[in-house]
Amino acid sequence: MADSSNLKVARNAPTISYTFSDGSLSKWDVPTWQVKVVESKYRYPMAKYAVQAKHSGVLTKNDHQILLTIAMAKAITEEQIRRACKPLTNSMIYKRVDLLEVWGLLERRKFTGERNPNEKYPGIITLTDTGKDYIRLTAPGTHCLGSSDYLRYPKLPINLIGSNEIKLQLIEANALISWTDHKEISSFGKVACSATIALPDGRFHLLMDRISGMSKVDHFLHQRIASLTEFAQRGEKLLDENFAFVFIVPSNSSITQLIQAYEIHHLANSYRDYYPHIWFISHEHLFSPLGFEQGIIALGKSNLEAVRLPYGNAEDYADDY
């Protein structure tokens, strides 16, 4: 009889509900999007022509600001770009975005699924490859993405909207000291992004990961919690300063299910010195009047608790960076 001691038992992935309390689903966790390329004889086929247009005044300072905003966000909704490009007026932004689309520097992604045919889904704006190269030439060092990147990672644009919304709300509250989209923190491994924010009693750090109903959540979280446990068992701290590990999730209903399915409460209670704060922010709260400031759900020792962030002033820490 064969030795079965080394055989691994297959894990059954838990079923997680991403439905809002009103029965709807997040607009920013939908399955299919498409890009309709605007055909135009005015398209810039190469970035150098766009740079020449900038130097000649065809591309204005406002156009450059819009393209740089998209580059830094990587993917941004039409509502977000209006807020991010203030003090430009909405009509000015719409006019210039339309022209930049005709010139082939950006493109709009539209929802094409049939999950909720009666729902109006806003568009997502991203750079084309020409727009990406234009940014590389005019703003060296800026990490951005273009059309070819999204062909390889078609779900990425929508997966960026939640973290971009957090960033934008922090900027609007004048609470954001620094923000980084990166792949590694300490020896931890991949995280989506990190931020340092101002609270009344000092700086506070956020390490953020995105959980999407479209992604392989079981594989991701199973490995993530195992890694966090391993680091704590080895005595490794992710950061020496006070921080919260924030999971960006589609809905409130998914929070309890994810905690139970992956024993996140055990991680928090067993390694409180290493993970002092484990927070969840759902799309359901983030894109509501609560926002990030009042919508955070924290994992306490025995239950879930609402957290309200009393923002400080980021300008008090301007000399630190």
Side-chain angles (χ1 to χ4, degrees):
M1 184 174 182
D3 182 5
S4 61
S5 59
N6 292 324
L7 293 179
K8 293 184 178 180
V9 179
R11 296 180 67 255
N12 292 322
T15 300
I16 307 296
S17 170
Y18 298 109
T19 305
F20 286 8
S21 57
D22 63 1
S24 63
L25 293 165
S26 172
K27 292 180 181 180
W28 306 121
D29 201 52
V30 294
T32 54
W33 292 74
Q34 74 174 7
V35 177
K36 181 179 180 181
V37 177
V38 176
E39 296 297 335
S40 169
K41 64 180 180 180
Y42 300 106
R43 290 178 67 85
Y44 296 120
M46 299 178 65
K48 67 178 184 180
Y49 298 127
V51 174
Q52 291 172 3
K54 178 177 182 294
H55 292 323
S56 66
V58 175
L59 280 178
T60 67
K61 290 182 178 179
N62 291 341
D63 295 330
H64 183 74
Q65 178 188 344
I66 291 170
L67 290 170
L68 190 58
T69 299
I70 299 169
M72 296 176 68
K74 299 179 177 63
I76 192 167
T77 71
E78 295 181 7
E79 188 269 341
Q80 287 175 338
I81 200 170
R82 291 198 304 269
R83 292 153 59 197
C85 289
K86 288 182 178 178
L88 299 183
T89 64
N90 291 348
S91 59
M92 172 62 73
I93 293 170
Y94 280 132
K95 177 181 178 182
R96 303 316 296 183
V97 165
D98 286 344
L99 284 173
L100 291 169
E101 185 177 24
V102 168
W103 292 335
L105 295 169
L106 61 81
E107 55 195 8
R108 287 183 171 99
R109 314 181 103 76
K110 292 291 187 179
F111 175 68
T112 60
E114 298 180 356
R115 191 177 69 178
N116 189 348
N118 297 323
E119 181 70 61
K120 183 179 179 180
Y121 291 88
I124 293 179
I125 301 171
T126 58
L127 294 179
T128 62
D129 285 338
T130 301
K132 174 182 175 179
D133 290 338
Y134 166 83
I135 291 295
R136 285 180 168 180
L137 290 172
T138 57
T142 302
H143 179 258
C144 55
L145 302 174
S147 306
S148 297
D149 300 301
Y150 297 125
L151 287 176
R152 293 194 296 272
Y153 307 106
K155 295 177 182 178
L156 181 58
I158 194 169
N159 208 14
L160 292 166
I161 300 304
S163 53
N164 281 341
E165 181 63 24
I166 293 174
K167 180 180 181 180
L168 189 54
Q169 289 185 21
L170 290 170
I171 291 172
E172 291 171 333
N174 198 30
L176 182 63
I177 299 173
S178 67
W179 180 281
T180 307
D181 294 303
H182 57 95
K183 294 184 178 180
E184 292 187 4
I185 291 182
S186 182
S187 58
F188 170 58
K190 294 181 178 179
V191 294
C193 45
S194 66
T196 302
I197 64 175
L199 298 182
D201 56 352
R203 296 181 305 169
F204 190 77
H205 303 278
L206 306 172
L207 307 184
M208 291 170 276
D209 256 329
R210 296 179 292 258
I211 296 176
S212 168
M214 301 182 298
S215 62
K216 298 177 180 178
V217 175
D218 182 62
H219 177 74
F220 166 76
L221 268 183
H222 184 63
Q223 288 193 334
R224 175 65 84 240
I225 301 305
S227 297
L228 289 171
T229 301
E230 181 182 345
F231 288 132
Q233 290 173 342
R234 291 204 306 255
E236 294 186 29
K237 288 191 174 182
L238 301 187
L239 293 176
D240 292 330
E241 299 180 80
N242 201 16
F243 74 93
F245 205 103
V246 184
F247 290 106
I248 305 169
V249 300
S251 67
N252 289 341
S253 63
S254 65
I255 295 174
T256 301
Q257 297 169 21
L258 291 166
I259 290 170
Q260 293 175 347
Y262 299 97
E263 299 185 349
I264 301 176
H265 60 284
H266 177 74
L267 172 77
N269 292 335
S270 300
Y271 305 105
R272 184 68 61 178
D273 291 341
Y274 295 90
Y275 309 113
H277 308 283
I278 296 181
W279 294 349
F280 296 83
I281 181 68
S282 68
H283 292 184
E284 195 167 356
H285 279 175
L286 182 61
F287 295 98
S288 79
L290 290 174
F292 189 66
E293 182 179 13
Q294 302 179 60
I296 295 169
I297 301 297
L299 180 56
K301 289 186 177 181
S302 59
N303 59 348
L304 295 175
E305 305 168 349
V307 170
R308 186 183 187 282
L309 288 179
Y311 291 143
N313 190 339
E315 294 177 2
D316 294 339
Y317 304 92
D319 295 337
D320 294 349
Y321 291 86

